[in-house]
Amino acid sequence: MNGEPIRNIVIVGGGTAGWMAAAALGTVMGAMPDLSIRLIESEAIGTVGVGEATIPQIIAFNTMLGLDENEFVRETHATYKLGVEFVDWARKGHRYIHPFGSYGLDMLGIDFHHFWLRARDLGHGSELDAYSIAAMAGKAGKFIRPQNERPGSPLAKLGYAFQFDASRYARYLRRHAEARGVERTEGRVVEVLQDAESGFVTGVQLDGGEIVEGELFLDCSGFRSLLLGQTLGVPFTDWSKWLPCDRAVAMPCTLAGDRQPLTRSTAQPAGWQWRIPLQHRIGNGHVYASAFIDEDEATRLLLEGLDGEALAEPNRLRFTAGHRERLWEKNVVALGLSGGFLEPLESTAIHLVQSGIARLLTLFPTTAFTPHEIGRYNREGAQEYLDIRDFLVLHYRASERDDSEFWRYCRALDPPEGLAEKLAMFESSGRVIREHEELFTETSWLSVMVGQGVQAGGHHPVAQMLDEAETVKRLAHIRGVIESTVGQMPSQDEFLAANGSA
Ligand code: FAD
C-alpha cells in the first residue's frame, strides 16, 4: 500500500451533507483505532434550511447506518413518497406522475411499455399511470411497504422514498455519529491553512484561535464551498444555459389540502413550485429564473399557491445550476452544496451526498492520495451530475407550453447530446435507453417522456407477437390487479399511525 492510513478526518459543515458524512464514516470506520473524525459547524452561520424530498436510494443509506425505519420516520416527521406529480408541465390543466418502481410486467422478454405503445397505436388508450402501483396508490393516498415475499404481487415492486425535515434528519444523524465517536466542534472557520509547496490543506483556524489539523478534509460548507471553491479555486461548470432557474423562495405552511404520498411540482410562468406534505406541515417553494420574473412576483405566486397558513418568513436562496469541475482536489472532497447543485425538480441533492459518500468509502485514500482514486472519483461524480442534468432538462425541453417568455426559451433549447440521443431513439422506435447504470431508470425516463407528450414513433416488433385481443386482455388484467391491490392497501395516515407516527 502506498502511503500511511489516514488518522485525522475533518468535516467542515454540519448541514445534511456534513452529518450524513459523519454518520456514515462513524458507522463504517468509527471503531478503527487511532482514527479521529471531527466535524466543525457554526450555529451562527446556520444551514440552508430546505430539502425535504428524497428518492428510493436513501433506504440503502439508512440501512447501511442501521437506522430503524419507523424511528427515522418519527424523528424526521417524515411521510412516504411514491413519486412526483407534475401539474401544468406538459400544458396547463395536464398532470402526470413520475412513479417509483416499474410499470406493468415485462412480457416475451421485452419491456412492458412496448405492449402499451402498441395497444395505444391500435386505439386502446389507457393512461400509463394505470400500470404503476406507485402512481395509483399515490393518487389514492395509500401506502404500505413493499411485500417482497409475494413475488407475483405488484406490491413486490413498489418503490418508495421519504419526504422529511432535512434539519431534523441532520440532528438525528448527529446523535448517531456522536455515539460512534465523531467529535463535534462549534466554531466558525476563519482561515484555511495550506502546505506552501503542495497546496494540500493542513488545517482550519476557528474564530476562537484554535487550529484543527487533518489529513483528509470533507468540505460540507454549503454554497460557500469554503475549501474546494474558495481555497483551492476549483472552477465551477455552469449549466445555467440549460437550467436557467437560479433562485428559490421557500415557505412552510400548516397542513391543509390532500395528503397524498407524492411530491407535487406545479409549473409556473417562469419556473415551478413544490409542495411536500410532511407529518406536521407542508413544505413549499418556488424555484424560478430571475431573468424572467422578479423576486416580489415570485413570492406573490408562492403565497397564492399555499394550501395552509404560512409558518415562517420567506427563505430566499440563490444558486447556479452546475458543479465544481473536480469534486475531489488534493486532500479535499466536497459533499453537498459545496460540490454543486441542480434544482430540486427530481429531489436529487441528498442522493448526490449519499453517492459521494459511497464513492469515497470505496476509493478511500491513504496519505499518498494517488491520482487513480481521485481521477476515478471525479469522473464518476461528474458523470452523475451530467446524467441528472439531462433528465431535468427533458422536463423543460419537452413541454408544449409557450405561454411565457420562459417556456418559449425552454422549448427552443438545443438539448444536450445525451438527451438528444434519448429523445431521437424514443421518437423513432419507442425505445428507452439507460446509460451506464445511470441514476434514473427506464421507468423514470419513460414516465417523463410520455408525461411531457413526447410521441413514440413505434414499438418493439416483438410486441406484435401478441394479437390485438390478447394484448388488450393482458393489459386489462394488469390494470385490474393493480386496482384491487390498491383497494386493499391502508391509507398513508393509517400506515403511519400503525407504525408509531402521527
Ligand atoms: P448547508 O445546509 O448550507 O450546510 C452548510 C454547513 O456548513 C452549515 O452547518 C454551516 O454552518 C457550515 N459552515 C459554512 N461556512 C462555515 C464556516 N466558515 N465555519 C464553520 N461552518 C461553516 N435536496 C433534496 O434531496 N431534496 C429536496 O427536495 C431539496 N430541495 C432543495 C431546495 C432548494 C431551494 C435548495 C437550495 C436545496 C434543496 N435541496 C434538496 C438540497 C439540500 O437542502 C441540500 O443538498 C442538503 O441540505 C445539503 O446541504 P449542505 O449540508 O451541503 O449545506
Side-chain angles (χ1 to χ4, degrees), residues 176-487:
H176 186 91
E178 287 181 326
R180 282 155 188 79
V182 175
E183 201 188 322
R184 172 189 182 273
T185 303
E186 168 66 32
R188 184 189 181 105
V189 173
V190 288
E191 205 182 331
V192 180
L193 311 170
Q194 287 174 276
D195 180 79
E197 224 170 87
S198 66
F200 274 49
V201 172
T202 54
V204 289
Q205 184 167 3
L206 307 186
D207 44 2
E210 186 189 352
I211 290 176
V212 179
E213 293 182 333
E215 290 154 331
L216 172 66
F217 289 81
L218 304 189
D219 184 349
C220 299
S221 63
F223 284 128
R224 285 172 190 81
S225 196
L226 205 60
L227 277 62
L228 193 78
Q230 286 186 28
T231 305
L232 298 181
V234 175
F236 190 82
T237 303
D238 182 332
W239 285 333
S240 45
K241 170 184 150 194
W242 282 300
L243 294 169
C245 286
D246 60 351
R247 300 270 199 285
V249 50
M251 184 184 283
C253 73
T254 55
L255 289 174
D258 56 63
R259 280 249 278 171
Q260 294 168 329
L262 296 168
T263 290
R264 184 178 302 151
S265 166
T266 305
Q268 293 285 9
W272 59 278
Q273 185 164 332
W274 78 77
R275 176 189 186 275
I276 305 178
L278 311 185
Q279 285 181 28
H280 59 306
R281 61 166 167 81
I282 301 176
N284 307 279
H286 184 183
V287 175
Y288 63 95
S290 61
F292 297 92
I293 188 175
D294 68 31
E295 187 176 288
D296 289 347
E297 177 63 1
T299 309
R300 189 190 68 72
L301 283 171
L302 174 69
L303 291 172
E304 203 179 87
L306 298 188
D307 282 342
E309 302 290 322
L311 286 172
E313 289 301 309
N315 177 7
R316 297 197 165 88
L317 301 133
R318 291 172 173 222
F319 53 85
T320 306
H323 66 93
R324 296 278 158 193
E325 242 171 55
R326 295 176 299 285
L327 297 165
W328 181 345
E329 177 89 338
K330 301 185 191 291
N331 59 341
V332 173
V333 177
L335 294 166
L337 301 172
S338 61
F341 184 62
L342 295 172
E343 59 182 87
L345 188 55
E346 288 284 359
S347 324
T348 41
I350 290 172
H351 172 76
L352 282 163
V353 175
Q354 170 185 345
S355 64
I357 293 169
R359 202 171 292 127
L360 175 62
L361 285 170
T362 304
L363 299 168
F364 202 80
T366 65
T367 53
F369 286 97
T370 61
H372 313 294
E373 279 87 13
I374 299 177
R376 184 165 190 95
Y377 187 97
N378 286 330
R379 271 196 311 282
E380 289 182 2
Q383 185 65 51
E384 191 170 31
Y385 267 94
L386 195 128
D387 292 338
I388 295 171
R389 175 199 72 185
D390 284 3
F391 188 52
L392 299 188
V393 175
L394 168 67
H395 298 62
Y396 291 102
R397 172 63 172 69
S399 175
E400 291 167 20
R401 287 186 64 153
D402 61 358
D403 53 297
S404 68
E405 204 187 324
F406 171 79
W407 287 105
R408 286 191 289 278
Y409 172 87
C410 295
R411 275 174 54 135
L413 275 175
D414 266 343
E417 201 181 314
L419 173 59
E421 194 192 339
K422 282 195 166 78
L423 282 169
M425 185 75 95
F426 187 70
E427 283 167 340
S428 69
S429 65
R431 283 191 182 83
V432 179
I433 40 175
R434 180 183 180 203
E435 311 275 1
H436 46 250
E437 296 295 301
E438 66 178 298
L439 178 60
F440 286 101
T441 62
E442 289 87 347
T443 299
S444 297
W445 281 96
L446 178 72
S447 66
V448 177
M449 286 206 260
V450 171
Q452 295 287 139
V454 180
Q455 295 298 319
H459 50 260
H460 198 290
V462 167
Q464 292 177 20
M465 286 169 64
L466 289 187
D467 67 25
E468 181 171 353
E470 182 64 17
T471 304
V472 170
K473 192 173 112 194
R474 288 202 193 184
L475 292 190
H477 176 71
I478 293 171
R479 289 199 305 274
V481 170
I482 288 177
E483 204 181 307
S484 72
T485 308
V486 170

Side-chain angles (χ1 to χ4, degrees), residues 2-280:
N2 288 332
E4 298 296 318
I6 298 280
R7 303 253 181 251
N8 285 302
I9 304 174
V10 178
I11 303 171
V12 176
T16 316
W19 283 113
M20 282 175 76
L25 293 179
T27 301
V28 176
M29 306 174 83
M32 281 172 72
D34 306 328
L35 177 74
S36 141
I37 308 172
R38 207 155 153 188
L39 183 146
I40 301 162
E41 67 177 320
S42 157
E43 266 170 34
I45 294 176
T47 64
V48 70
V50 282
E52 290 151 334
T54 60
I55 54 176
Q57 284 76 359
I58 192 167
I59 295 168
F61 185 74
N62 286 349
T63 304
M64 188 268 277
L65 298 183
L67 305 183
D68 172 77
E69 189 168 296
N70 288 334
E71 182 187 87
F72 153 79
V73 166
R74 258 192 319 275
E75 291 282 337
T76 61
H77 292 187
T79 54
Y80 293 92
K81 173 180 172 188
L82 293 172
V84 186
E85 182 178 34
F86 290 97
V87 179
D88 294 342
W89 270 85
R91 56 190 167 278
K92 278 192 178 169
H94 177 267
R95 52 178 70 207
Y96 71 94
I97 292 176
H98 164 197
F100 298 139
S102 55
Y103 290 109
L105 277 179
D106 293 351
M107 295 182 275
L108 307 179
I110 60 165
D111 291 341
F112 164 80
H113 79 270
H114 289 287
F115 296 92
W116 177 77
L117 286 174
R118 171 159 143 83
R120 215 169 54 158
D121 287 348
L122 292 168
H124 304 282
S126 54
E127 271 192 14
L128 193 53
D129 284 354
Y131 301 92
S132 155
I133 179 91
M136 298 311 279
K139 284 185 199 184
K142 304 281 190 93
F143 182 76
I144 195 166
R145 290 199 184 109
Q147 321 244 296
N148 300 323
E149 69 283 4
R150 294 169 57 192
S153 161
L155 284 177
K157 295 202 288 182
L158 185 74
Y160 72 100
F162 309 98
Q163 302 169 136
F164 61 31
D165 182 330
S167 311
R168 285 177 181 272
Y169 188 48
R171 285 203 290 277
Y172 179 48
L173 294 185
R174 173 177 164 185
R175 290 206 302 276
H176 186 91
E178 287 181 326
R180 282 155 188 79
V182 175
E183 201 188 322
R184 172 189 182 273
T185 303
E186 168 66 32
R188 184 189 181 105
V189 173
V190 288
E191 205 182 331
V192 180
L193 311 170
Q194 287 174 276
D195 180 79
E197 224 170 87
S198 66
F200 274 49
V201 172
T202 54
V204 289
Q205 184 167 3
L206 307 186
D207 44 2
E210 186 189 352
I211 290 176
V212 179
E213 293 182 333
E215 290 154 331
L216 172 66
F217 289 81
L218 304 189
D219 184 349
C220 299
S221 63
F223 284 128
R224 285 172 190 81
S225 196
L226 205 60
L227 277 62
L228 193 78
Q230 286 186 28
T231 305
L232 298 181
V234 175
F236 190 82
T237 303
D238 182 332
W239 285 333
S240 45
K241 170 184 150 194
W242 282 300
L243 294 169
C245 286
D246 60 351
R247 300 270 199 285
V249 50
M251 184 184 283
C253 73
T254 55
L255 289 174
D258 56 63
R259 280 249 278 171
Q260 294 168 329
L262 296 168
T263 290
R264 184 178 302 151
S265 166
T266 305
Q268 293 285 9
W272 59 278
Q273 185 164 332
W274 78 77
R275 176 189 186 275
I276 305 178
L278 311 185
Q279 285 181 28
H280 59 306

